[in-house]
Amino acid sequence: MLVYDLSKAKSFNNVQKWLRNIDEHCDTGSRESLVRALLGNKQDLAGEGLRAVDEQDARQLADKFGLDLFMETSSKTGFNVDHAFTEIALNVLEKVRQD
């Protein structure tokens, strides 16, 4: 689970570095069973005009790197937090069944 702060562009800019780190440190054989999710946190600040990362840009990055899930969340309000964990768990279950 990669979580960036959608109110800080610098946080989002680190996502590609984090993905490279995963690739460098993840055993090649286990990459197919790895579930990678990108979560833009602090969605509650978007409504206050504090968004620094466009949702479409984040979605495109997730697609570009073939991530299993992209979602915006808010740990403050709970928006999409349970849903994100449920979707990640379902993705893990699906990959386990494929193996």
Side-chain angles (χ1 to χ4, degrees):
M1 181 185 315
L2 303 165
V3 182
Y4 68 92
D5 179 342
L6 63 78
S7 69
K8 298 189 184 324
K10 183 178 179 183
S11 174
F12 179 70
N13 293 337
N14 286 324
V15 171
Q16 290 186 52
K17 179 178 71 173
W18 299 336
L19 287 166
R20 281 192 303 273
N21 286 337
I22 290 170
D23 286 342
E24 289 173 11
H25 299 287
C26 183
D27 179 42
T28 307
S30 62
R31 281 193 193 138
E32 294 97 32
S33 61
L34 187 65
V35 173
R36 299 178 306 163
L38 179 62
L39 303 179
N41 195 39
K42 297 191 179 178
Q43 184 274 343
D44 54 289
L45 297 179
E48 297 177 22
L50 298 174
R51 177 185 289 276
V53 179
D54 187 64
E55 183 177 0
Q56 185 176 353
D57 292 339
R59 207 173 281 286
Q60 287 174 346
L61 183 74
D63 289 343
K64 174 182 174 182
F65 285 93
L67 303 185
D68 300 289
L69 177 69
F70 166 74
M71 191 176 296
E72 290 192 343
T73 62
S74 171
S75 58
K76 181 178 180 179
T77 67
F79 176 76
N80 268 348
V81 173
D82 288 341
H83 185 58
F85 280 97
T86 299
E87 288 299 314
I88 291 168
L90 290 171
N91 274 273
V92 168
L93 184 58
E94 182 64 30
K95 289 202 178 197
V96 167
R97 287 182 177 159
Q98 291 174 359
D99 289 343

